[in-house]
Amino acid sequence: MTATRIDGKAFAARLRERVGARALEFAEATGRKPGLAVVLVGENAASEVYVRAKGKACVAANMESFEHRLPADTSAQDLLALVERLNADPAVDGILVQLPLPEHLDEQAIIAAISPDKDVDGFHVINAGRLSVGQEGFVPCTPMGCMMLLTDRLGDLSGLDAVVIGRSNIVGKPMAQLLLDANATVTIAHSRTKDLAAVVRRADIVVAAVGRPQMIGKDWLKEGATVIDVGINRLPPEPGADKGRLVGDVAFDEASEVAGAITPVPGGVGPMTIAVLLRNTLVAAYRNAGLDMPEGL
Ligand code: NDP
């Protein structure tokens, strides 16, 4: 079998287009654009890239982007004061504090200060709780993007065996919850799982969110499985190159011989994360304005 390549980049582009069109309608109805505030503390190179990309994506989707760049030695008090100001600002629908924060800042305490109704990353414990008990809230962007790709590919997931490898609060756990809500039979695997290959081999759906380059080979997969590769890993550079290649947690070429469908890295899950962030910001704007949500998001 040669797997179908799940084109997350194209799916994300279509989602961004829909969000952009709905954002225009929102602006027409309310006289203001949906707004996303992104807070970056310090000078982490990868975070800089993400924050720039989020700002550009916002503008392209007819939204307002508010960037707040603070020095690395910003005190918790000053950061909390900014979050409070953003919570109270009616032009701001979504607030995202870019992680990781410098070590002297307690990430959980900062996230806890964000209004749950503006927590478009879905990292606040209130939103984690809402997801867990089935209430409406915000779901973390990466697992929600994975779920969109899965339902687009498979339709109804009822009764399918799903294995999520990784149990982080931002990917693995919410992913497992979403699969459970979609009536899959879910196993969460992690670094202490015994005979991981055998666990993965029984899955119809494999979601890999580990952070280990090409760990999952073709021998780990059931024929026809749908494989969602969340991992982003950089290999050591080839001789003469400055940077190594980006790869996922799955050995894409060999896995493609066995899987039914698979996301590539890059171009799979990655582009979905920002697209869902825009979608969540639009949802926040509609909710904050007390308007009914448009269909098809
Ligand atoms: P974490 O490091 O927080 O979690 C990794 C998980 O993998 C842990 O639960 C860990 O288990 C498990 N794990 C580690 N080693 C093994 C192993 N040998 N066998 C089985 N399980 C193992 O990572 P994140 O969840 O934040 O991210 C995972 C990957 O996804 C990373 O590559 C990250 O870059 C990528 N990512 C991509 C995004 C995107 O937009 N595409 C967004 C977010 C993340 P234990 O709990 O036991 O330690």
Side-chain angles (χ1 to χ4, degrees):
M1 170 176 277
T2 306
T4 304
R5 185 176 172 279
I6 300 176
D7 190 345
K9 198 171 164 193
F11 190 101
R14 291 195 296 275
L15 176 58
R16 283 164 64 157
E17 217 163 276
R18 288 201 300 281
V19 169
R22 297 289 98 78
L24 271 186
E25 288 168 16
F26 177 87
E28 276 161 23
T30 63
R32 69 170 186 89
K33 293 178 179 176
L36 174 66
V38 178
V39 180
L40 175 62
V41 186
E43 278 151 22
N44 179 314
S47 295
E48 284 277 352
V49 173
Y50 293 139
V51 166
R52 249 197 325 272
K54 287 168 186 171
K56 271 172 68 178
C58 254
V59 173
N62 306 315
M63 297 189 186
E64 207 75 67
S65 160
F66 306 102
E67 274 182 32
H68 294 268
R69 289 163 185 272
L70 304 179
D73 61 358
T74 298
S75 67
Q77 201 183 10
D78 285 351
L79 181 53
L80 288 169
L82 171 61
V83 169
E84 278 311 318
R85 273 207 315 282
L86 298 172
N87 281 341
D89 186 342
V92 172
D93 296 295
I95 303 171
L96 180 157
V97 176
Q98 185 65 44
L99 303 180
L101 288 171
E103 255 176 34
H104 67 282
L105 294 168
D106 175 352
E107 289 184 354
Q108 286 309 318
I110 304 297
I111 291 168
I114 298 172
S115 160
D117 298 331
K118 295 192 176 186
D119 168 42
V120 285
D121 256 342
F123 293 168
H124 195 292
V125 284
I126 294 274
N127 281 317
R130 285 171 175 160
L131 175 62
S132 147
V133 297
Q135 287 177 7
E136 197 170 76
F138 289 107
V139 175
C141 303
T142 302
M144 188 170 200
C146 294
M147 203 59 193
M148 287 177 174
L149 295 178
L150 277 170
T151 48
D152 182 61
R153 163 84 198 158
L154 296 171
D156 185 9
L157 308 188
S158 292
L160 295 179
D161 259 315
V163 171
V164 179
I165 319 169
R167 55 174 163 179
S168 70
N169 290 333
I170 61 169
V171 189
K173 281 188 212 158
M175 186 72 233
Q177 185 68 53
L178 289 170
L179 287 161
L180 187 60
D181 291 347
N183 300 317
T185 303
V186 184
T187 302
I188 308 178
H190 46 76
S191 66
R192 313 288 174 88
T193 299
K194 283 191 196 144
D195 199 355
L196 181 58
V199 172
V200 174
R201 224 166 3 244
R202 59 169 200 252
D204 304 304
I205 295 170
V206 179
V207 180
V210 183
R212 296 195 173 248
Q214 300 169 318
M215 177 177 92
I216 297 155
K218 67 174 176 187
D219 304 347
W220 290 38
L221 297 172
K222 173 163 145 180
E223 185 83 27
T226 302
V227 180
I228 303 290
D229 191 354
V230 183
I232 301 178
N233 312 288
R234 200 171 280 285
L235 292 178
E238 303 276 335
D242 330 333
K243 272 189 185 173
R245 202 158 59 85
L246 278 185
V247 295
D249 292 340
V250 180
F252 182 84
D253 289 342
E254 59 169 276
S256 296
E257 294 170 23
V258 180
I262 182 168
T263 57
V265 176
V269 173
M272 292 300 294
T273 300
I274 288 190
V276 175
L277 174 68
L278 299 174
R279 180 247 172 225
N280 281 357
T281 303
L282 182 70
V283 170
Y286 271 90
R287 284 187 193 151
N288 293 340
L291 296 173
D292 287 339
M293 270 303 299
E295 301 274 306
L297 290 173

